[in-house]
Structure formats: structure tokens, C-alpha cells
Amino acid sequence: MRESICSGCRARIVWFRTPRGKNMPADADPQQRLILDDDGAAVMAQTWMPHWATCPKADQFKKDWHKESP
Ligand SMILES: [Zn+2]
């Protein structure tokens, strides 16, 4: 993962690649969550919040995030 700074709000973000090859920014600090595995058992997992869910400038930068490549 490549870490960088959001050009909209200066938050620390990390870049993920989606299955379709797009680059997606997420908040840098992961959260501990319980998720269900295929058998319905709860397991701990690290999750990241997509940055456009928290960024105050998301509308302004969403298009650019799709274009930028790390
Ligand atoms: Zn931001």
C-alpha cells in the first residue's frame, strides 16, 4: 500500500487497488472489526474506511482519485 496525503483535507490516506484495477483511497488508520466468515463465525479483521466517506472535499476530488495512479 502506498501512503500519501489527501490533496483536499490533508489527511493521511493509503491507496488500494480494486479488483477492477482502479486505485481507491482509504483513511490510513485501519479499524478492528468483527466480520463473518463463510461458515457464519465471527473473526477479527482489519478494515479501512474509504476516504471519500470521511473527506469533507470528497465531491471535489472523487473524479481525480479515479484517475490518479500511485
Ligand atoms: Zn480528504
Side-chain angles (χ1 to χ4, degrees):
M1 284 183 298
R2 190 189 69 137
E3 187 171 323
S4 62
I5 301 289
C6 175
S7 57
C9 69
R10 314 307 293 170
R12 287 168 53 239
I13 56 176
V14 289
W15 289 92
F16 290 86
R17 192 170 294 275
T18 70
R20 286 191 288 179
K22 294 236 167 117
N23 295 306
M24 181 173 168
D27 292 347
D29 295 323
Q31 301 166 336
Q32 297 293 328
R33 293 268 174 93
L34 283 172
I35 62 170
L36 298 178
D37 69 9
D38 292 341
D39 298 322
V43 293
M44 289 295 291
Q46 275 194 332
T47 61
W48 284 261
M49 182 72 78
H51 185 57
W52 54 60
T54 63
C55 182
K57 300 285 181 66
D59 290 344
Q60 185 177 338
F61 290 97
K62 207 164 177 176
K63 286 185 209 132
D64 292 335
W65 284 334
H66 284 288
K67 278 185 286 185
E68 182 176 334
S69 69

